[in-house]
Amino acid sequence: MAVNLTKVAKKARDYEYILLMMRHAKTEKVSHDGDDAARELTDKGRKQAKHVAKALDGLGLVPDVMAVSGAKRTRQTAERMLKVFGDKPEVTYHKKLYTDGLSEVSSILSAQKKKKKILMIIGHEPTMSEGSLWWSEGSSHALEALEIGLSPASVAVLGAHKPFEQWDIHEADVLAVITAKDCD
């Protein structure tokens, strides 16, 4: 079921803080040297990252901060997105997003300043969908999609009224899960 991006933008305006949890774009199956962290984006993955960035920009959801895993595929995803976003996002790289999962996501949230309203985390599965489920409450079709897991270049959009540093379990509402296909 396709997501109505106009409705997502309208819902997002009702929240003071927006968290975008994104799985990196499509990658090669195996890296050339066998190192999983060195896997690169495919041509399709590069296009996905650009299309998702354009969609988020069109929704008014350009992040203030991008926290990116240290793996090559997540850095490449961020680089493609920054070509659309420009210099606005403050970008930080977190090797522990690849190794420590939800623990590192919690650390990133708690380190955010109140003036930063839109935070994007680009990481891996299952951490991105599990984190989205962890911080979300209620029930919706979006939650059902998160239980299955995020496909490459998908973004869970969560909203809350409290600053990120105050988020606890079930603090946010899941506004949507946007897939790469929704952005074509």
Side-chain angles (χ1 to χ4, degrees):
M1 186 166 103
V3 172
N4 182 325
L5 297 178
T6 304
K7 287 184 180 181
V8 174
K10 186 177 179 183
K11 281 189 212 176
R13 286 191 291 270
D14 292 337
Y15 294 88
E16 191 170 355
Y17 295 90
I18 299 291
L19 174 62
L20 306 168
M21 298 279 280
M22 181 178 183
R23 180 182 180 184
H24 58 78
K26 185 166 179 59
T27 63
E28 60 189 3
K29 299 225 184 279
V30 182
S31 74
H32 302 291
D33 62 4
D35 178 13
D36 183 66
R39 288 173 42 211
E40 296 188 27
L41 294 184
T42 61
D43 288 339
K44 180 178 181 177
R46 286 187 284 281
K47 289 176 187 171
Q48 287 175 329
K50 182 179 177 183
H51 290 175
V52 170
K54 284 183 175 182
L56 292 173
D57 183 38
L59 297 174
L61 294 176
V62 173
D64 299 310
V65 176
M66 290 175 70
V68 182
S69 162
K72 190 167 192 173
R73 59 191 176 268
T74 51
R75 289 180 309 179
Q76 289 177 326
T77 299
E79 288 165 7
R80 294 298 290 196
M81 297 181 89
L82 288 167
K83 289 181 179 186
V84 174
F85 295 156
D87 294 337
K88 183 184 185 225
E90 173 187 311
V91 182
T92 58
Y93 297 93
H94 303 261
K95 188 174 183 180
K96 288 184 177 183
L97 264 175
Y98 182 76
T99 58
D100 294 4
L102 286 178
S103 172
E104 184 64 10
V105 173
S106 293
S107 295
I108 292 166
L109 285 173
S110 65
Q112 296 308 304
K113 296 179 174 94
K114 289 180 183 161
K115 65 182 179 177
K116 304 296 184 180
K117 305 292 183 173
I118 302 176
L119 168 63
M120 174 177 245
I121 300 176
I122 303 176
H124 310 272
E125 274 299 294
T127 302
M128 295 296 97
S129 57
E130 288 175 352
S132 299
L133 286 167
W134 180 263
W135 281 287
S136 63
E137 68 173 345
S139 62
S140 69
H141 292 295
L143 281 174
E144 292 170 13
L146 289 171
E147 289 172 355
I148 295 169
L150 293 174
S151 58
S154 292
V155 182
V157 182
L158 287 76
H161 299 289
K162 288 184 179 179
F164 300 114
E165 65 184 15
Q166 296 175 17
W167 281 26
D168 200 357
I169 186 171
H170 306 307
E171 196 69 52
D173 295 323
V174 177
L175 309 182
V177 173
I178 301 170
T179 67
K181 289 180 182 179
D182 295 324
C183 302
D184 286 339

